[in-house]
Amino acid sequence: MKAGLVPEITEEAGILADGPEPSPVEDNTGAVIHYFKMMESRLGYDLLLGGTKHFGLYRPGDSAWNWQAALRRMEDKLGKELALPKESRVLDAGCGVGDVAGYLARHYGIYVCGIDILDFNITAANRRAIRRGVPDRVAFRRMSYADLDFQDEMFDGCYTMETLVHAADAEVVVQEFYRVLKPGARLVLFEYSREAEQHMPPRAAAVFRRVSEVAAMPSYQRFEHGVLEQLMQQAGFAAINVEDITGGMLPMLKCFAMIAKVPYEIAKALRLEEQVINAMSAVEFWRYRQYFRYNVYTANKPVRRRGSRHQAFPRYLKKAAATYPGPQPHVLCDNASAGGQGRDRPARPAGPQHRQGRCRPRPAHPGLLRPLRRLGPRPGQPAQQPSTPEPTPPARTDSWPAAGIRPPLRLPLAYPGGVINQYYTAA
């Protein structure tokens, strides 16, 4: 087991133990911190979910009040969607108190580096990691995911659990995810989307706008159905897939709405709805549940192909030249003193300079017909009278299939003095 891998993640990035001050692209950090520091938010998450800040996943027949089992089932859903081998490095963007990171590290054998802008969340996450026995597999730092202080292509996976809605500029965040992920890495986002306002009743649209404003969720107001997929595609991600699991989380939302109904009605009578924004969210989102979705977004960062056909062709040409007894490819010399006529001009027959590697062969371009040897007068010399070409001996083709190149085709080439037979290669 690589016991020191998670500390190594932060040391490579140059992050101190307490982390740098978050520096988001837009000034949204203060609003997010204010929302999570509200008394109602802290008491609600701690009393109901033990500090965890995401919904649970239910199966048909499950008890709606068995919240802990539903939470672990949602985290299992995340681990299966990541589908990463053990020892992988994963970024938890918006880790909260670290429950998700600790569960994945313990049950899936991965290393998780969690970031959050709330200092009290980072403190709680580090304590819980020690209590769960996974301090060597998780690390938590105070950082904004809009300005990740990590090296490029550092992580094998990245996920968010209902946190991207708090981003001030979701495009920047998704682009940062793309930058720090390795080619072939996995991105999984558990996020909300909603209907366009013109497709909702006016009151539903007004409620969603109010909740987004008070709960510091500007991106939720933007995440109409299909928008987040477009942002992921624009950032460069491929194999994007969206799964609607709204039905699996609605039982927990219904429980929250039942608990919050009375406090919300009292707050409405006193015109203090903003002081109980989570109660308002539970009641109103349950009332207008048909206008939003809870989605699982998955995507991969494309793998860079190691060499295209154009880059690999010279290797085949070199192998063919060693086995084919016919004329060899002409050489272009970069130095006129090496026996050639200057850059991009045919070189003289190979001499000592050529054997020293000072000249480079010019490969034939795949898909085009290029001469292997130019016949005719040199520049500045009078053209010779064409003569009847000697019959060309049949070419040996037994070695060409092994080199991956088709046998040469003998085609006529018209020159000013007549027609000269010449060898070409057909890609």
Side-chain angles (χ1 to χ4, degrees):
M1 182 179 68
K2 302 177 183 178
L5 183 59
V6 173
E8 180 185 347
I9 291 178
T10 54
E11 290 172 4
E12 290 179 359
I15 304 171
L16 300 178
D18 54 352
E21 289 295 325
S23 55
V25 175
E26 296 183 18
D27 189 11
N28 187 51
T29 304
V32 176
I33 294 176
H34 172 74
Y35 163 69
F36 282 104
K37 281 188 174 181
M38 292 174 58
M39 184 63 65
E40 189 227 12
S41 294
R42 301 191 68 170
L43 288 178
Y45 287 122
D46 290 341
L47 294 178
L48 298 180
L49 301 178
T52 303
K53 299 178 177 64
H54 66 81
F55 278 98
L57 183 64
Y58 292 82
R59 300 168 301 187
D62 288 342
S63 172
W65 298 95
N66 191 356
W67 295 343
Q68 291 302 318
L71 292 175
R72 302 293 85 81
R73 197 174 295 114
M74 185 69 83
E75 293 160 4
D76 273 323
K77 173 72 172 176
L78 171 59
K80 294 175 182 177
E81 292 295 337
L82 283 170
L84 294 173
K86 293 184 178 181
E87 317 300 322
S88 299
R89 296 182 178 185
V90 181
L91 175 65
D92 183 342
C95 61
V97 294
D99 281 347
V100 179
Y103 185 85
L104 294 179
R106 185 172 183 178
H107 291 84
Y108 290 87
I110 60 178
Y111 295 92
V112 184
C113 182
I115 61 170
D116 202 285
I117 60 174
L118 304 174
D119 50 0
F120 56 86
N121 274 350
I122 299 301
T123 302
N126 285 315
R127 291 175 179 173
R128 295 192 182 201
I130 297 174
R131 187 164 65 246
R132 291 175 177 172
V134 290
D136 58 335
R137 287 190 168 271
V138 296
F140 302 100
R141 297 292 179 264
R142 185 168 181 246
M143 189 188 308
S144 170
Y145 51 27
D147 187 18
L148 296 176
D149 193 11
F150 293 118
Q151 297 176 352
D152 296 351
E153 301 181 359
M154 192 170 182
F155 294 96
D156 302 296
C158 174
Y159 66 86
T160 65
M161 185 68 80
E162 306 174 27
T163 59
L164 192 58
V165 290
H166 295 287
D169 193 338
E171 290 92 341
V172 173
V173 178
V174 175
Q175 291 169 4
E176 281 290 276
F177 292 163
Y178 186 89
R179 180 183 64 82
V180 300
L181 287 176
K182 299 177 182 178
R186 186 77 164 164
L187 175 68
V188 181
L189 308 176
F190 282 60
E191 299 295 340
Y192 309 94
S193 66
R194 64 178 188 84
E195 288 280 357
E197 289 192 353
Q198 58 267 26
H199 299 154
M200 292 189 292
R203 187 180 184 279
V207 166
F208 284 178
R209 284 196 304 270
R210 192 58 178 162
V211 170
S212 298
E213 179 182 353
V214 179
M217 299 191 303
S219 288
Y220 174 73
Q221 192 62 21
R222 295 185 51 202
F223 285 170
E224 298 178 0
H225 302 323
V227 170
L228 186 51
E229 298 97 296
Q230 296 177 1
L231 299 183
M232 297 167 69
Q233 185 177 11
Q234 293 171 4
F237 287 99
I240 300 172
N241 183 64
V242 183
E243 180 184 0
D244 182 1
I245 61 170
T246 309
M249 53 79 64
L250 284 179
M252 181 176 284
L253 178 62
K254 183 178 181 180
C255 294
F256 292 165
M258 294 172 62
I259 296 173
K261 184 174 182 180
V262 173
Y264 178 51
E265 293 298 331
I266 296 175
K268 284 175 62 178
L270 300 176
R271 296 183 179 180
L272 297 176
E273 297 95 328
E274 295 184 2
Q275 302 301 319
V276 290
I277 188 60
N278 293 295
M280 176 181 177
S281 301
V283 174
E284 299 294 354
F285 272 60
W286 173 252
R287 177 178 299 169
Y288 299 114
R289 56 189 177 276
Q290 67 270 30
Y291 298 111
F292 79 92
R293 298 175 190 168
Y294 189 96
N295 302 313
V296 179
Y297 301 84
T298 58
N300 296 329
K301 182 174 180 178
V303 179
R304 290 190 299 268
R305 301 179 62 182
R306 292 188 175 182
S308 63
R309 184 185 176 193
H310 293 256
Q311 296 171 330
F313 188 79
R315 295 197 297 270
Y316 297 118
L317 184 62
K318 182 178 180 180
K319 186 175 181 180
T323 57
Y324 176 60
Q328 299 297 313
H330 71 284
V331 177
L332 297 185
C333 187
D334 291 330
N335 191 341
S337 62
Q341 301 297 325
R343 181 177 293 275
D344 294 342
R345 293 185 181 180
R348 294 189 177 92
Q353 298 88 349
H354 294 264
R355 288 193 292 270
Q356 295 174 4
R358 300 178 62 178
C359 296
R360 53 185 173 83
R362 182 174 182 178
H365 193 284
L368 300 177
L369 298 179
R370 289 290 182 87
L372 292 178
R373 181 182 181 187
R374 289 190 180 276
L375 301 178
R378 295 183 181 277
Q381 294 182 358
Q384 299 178 359
Q385 294 298 326
S387 60
T388 304
E390 297 180 0
T392 304
R396 290 174 52 191
T397 59
D398 53 344
S399 60
W400 284 81
I405 302 180
R406 298 178 182 177
L409 303 178
R410 199 181 76 173
L411 301 177
L413 178 66
Y415 272 82
V419 177
I420 300 177
N421 289 329
Q422 186 174 4
Y423 280 98
Y424 285 73
T425 59

